[in-house]
Amino acid sequence: MRIKILLSGLVLATLASSALAANRPAGYVTICSENKTCSVANATTVAFGRADKFTYKLLSGSFVCSEAVFGARVAGGVNECSIARTTNSSSSVPAQSSSSKPVVSSAPSSAPSSKSSVSSVKSSVASSSSSSVTNPPVGSYYPGCEKPEPTETVQLPATRVVVAGEVFDGLNKRYNLSGGGQGEGQPPLFDVQEGGVVRNVIIGSAAADGIHCKGNCTIDHVWWEDIGEDAATAMGPAGTIMNVTCGAAFNGSDKTFQFNGRGELHISKFYVQSAGKLARTCGDCTNNGGPRKIVINDVITRDVSTIVGINTNFGDTATIRNLTLNNSGTSKTKICQVYKGVVKGSGSSSALGVEFDTPNCDVRQADVTLLGVSQMNTSACAGSCPIP
């Protein structure tokens, strides 16, 4: 009898636990179930999934709530399509109604605060571009990539070398080294060799020169409370990729990611606030050249003057998709700024203009979402900018 009672208790506990798993994100309302047809307003973020696991996509008009549309599904039950409660929609299955006000999260205590409120105004968005953006709150992070509270603070005595193939798990500790300003020539906190991985790291105010990537490397779940000289620098040779995913960076007056090597720099599911540029290929490096390739997808920026800067005379390219600007003012953000790069000692690099939909700048105005008062610079150059 005692065993039977215990087993019954386990079953009830299991059922209670499974009941806690939601088929829609917090603040969302289901508009239709799997394989039904839904209809949403222009540029609406839709979540698809179940049991607290979701894929997000930015959609317009009618669509089928299915794996074919979203590219993935959660096994074990019927998946649902849902949207934020304040978004208007219709479907073959009546949507639940709500008179709730928009939910706006406050900025995390460790992130810079802002007095501005969030606007749900969006413009110039592709009708079916894949994205996880859901009117992100001011001073927040990329959805699903929020910074955890540091488990402790570690003062590094010297640069930590991540040897070839090593996976360094920072266990969500905050790491400091030295400096924290924008001065050139600072040492890195982490020197990552070929195939190295840095994950679950919080970089504090003594950020020095962040992370140096010497070859193929992955920077995963890393948050910079202060950008320092640069958040990270791609230094690998041609054929290598520095992959940055799921993180955030704050408080930099110049570049966030510097690209000195060759190869590629990929940035996804990332949030940057208060910086001069998100990414820049080197303007005047020793033995400067190219080509270099930057790929940006699912990124939110706030008060970042330029998203990418590339050297067209070296053959650099940038591909940008699912970019969201959530600025506090009306200064126009340059999306893809092109330059003429130089070899160190041969003068200074020169800005040529802003490009859209060119061989060097693979980005269209429809790839950019504008929240609130945000604006982008669209008039600096029509078509390919000439190289002087």
Side-chain angles (χ1 to χ4, degrees):
M1 180 64 71
R2 180 177 178 81
I3 293 175
K4 193 171 184 179
I5 292 172
L6 287 174
L7 288 174
S8 298
L10 287 172
V11 170
L12 289 173
T14 301
L15 291 173
S17 176
S18 62
L20 294 175
N23 290 340
R24 65 202 65 81
Y28 274 50
V29 59
T30 297
I31 57 173
C32 68
S33 58
E34 192 168 6
N35 297 321
K36 300 291 185 179
T37 298
C38 307
S39 182
V40 294
N42 185 51
T44 299
T45 299
V46 182
F48 175 71
R50 58 173 298 277
D52 289 330
K53 296 179 182 178
F54 306 100
T55 299
Y56 296 81
K57 198 163 187 179
L58 208 59
L59 298 170
S60 298
S62 296
F63 64 93
V64 177
C65 180
S66 66
E67 180 180 6
V69 171
F70 289 86
R73 75 179 299 276
V74 181
V78 176
N79 286 234
E80 297 180 4
C81 284
S82 58
I83 60 175
R85 291 184 183 277
T86 55
T87 305
N88 294 324
S89 69
S90 60
S91 67
S92 58
V93 175
Q96 301 175 29
S97 61
S98 172
S99 59
S100 301
K101 295 181 179 180
V103 178
V104 180
S105 302
S106 59
S109 58
S110 58
S113 61
S114 172
K115 295 180 180 179
S116 301
S117 60
V118 177
S119 171
S120 60
V121 176
K122 292 186 177 184
S123 63
S124 302
V125 185
S127 61
S128 61
S129 56
S130 177
S131 176
S132 299
V133 180
T134 312
N135 294 342
V138 173
S140 187
Y141 301 95
Y142 194 89
C145 295
E146 294 81 5
K147 180 178 75 67
E149 285 300 312
T151 55
E152 65 175 284
T153 297
V154 177
Q155 176 62 50
L156 294 177
T159 297
R160 169 61 160 86
V161 176
V162 179
V163 300
E166 178 186 359
V167 177
F168 177 83
D169 191 328
L171 302 175
N172 292 329
K173 297 177 183 179
R174 177 188 287 119
Y175 291 83
N176 285 314
L177 179 60
S178 61
Q182 301 289 313
E184 297 289 334
Q186 298 181 62
L189 276 86
F190 295 96
D191 187 314
V192 186
Q193 304 297 311
E194 168 61 33
V197 176
V198 175
R199 63 166 51 118
N200 300 325
V201 165
I202 299 165
I203 294 179
S205 58
D209 197 26
I211 298 174
H212 286 185
C213 177
K214 298 295 183 61
N216 288 296
C217 76
T218 298
I219 301 172
D220 175 34
H221 285 78
V222 176
W223 300 269
W224 286 261
E225 294 176 336
D226 191 298
I227 290 172
E229 182 179 344
D230 300 307
T233 304
M235 307 175 77
T240 61
I241 298 175
M242 182 171 90
N243 185 37
V244 182
T245 184
C246 202
F250 299 88
N251 299 328
S253 61
D254 196 7
K255 302 171 293 295
T256 305
F257 296 104
Q258 173 74 25
F259 197 170
N260 290 352
R262 301 294 190 269
E264 302 182 16
L265 166 61
H266 293 198
I267 305 169
S268 63
K269 292 180 171 57
F270 204 82
Y271 179 92
V272 180
Q273 181 169 313
S274 301
K277 298 178 180 70
L278 172 61
R280 171 73 167 104
T281 59
C282 187
D284 59 353
C285 288
T286 301
N287 299 320
N288 204 9
R292 302 175 175 111
K293 181 178 181 180
I294 296 176
V295 179
I296 291 174
N297 189 32
D298 288 340
V299 168
I300 306 169
T301 68
R302 182 169 177 82
D303 300 335
V304 176
S305 300
T306 300
I307 303 305
V308 298
I310 58 174
N311 305 312
T312 51
N313 60 316
F314 292 148
D316 296 347
T317 63
T319 299
I320 302 173
R321 298 289 186 271
N322 306 317
L323 171 68
T324 297
L325 307 183
N326 188 14
N327 295 333
S328 64
T330 57
S331 295
K332 295 183 178 181
T333 300
K334 297 175 182 178
I335 305 302
C336 187
Q337 170 76 55
V338 299
Y339 294 84
K340 178 184 178 181
V342 299
V343 175
K344 196 171 186 67
S346 302
S348 301
S349 63
S350 52
L352 305 178
V354 173
E355 292 186 359
F356 287 90
D357 201 12
T358 65
N360 297 98
C361 292
D362 182 5
V363 57
R364 290 158 292 280
Q365 295 180 37
D367 293 314
V368 184
T369 298
L370 303 177
L371 298 184
V373 296
S374 301
Q375 298 184 56
M376 56 179 160
N377 188 322
T378 60
S379 61
C381 180
S384 182
C385 295
I387 299 175

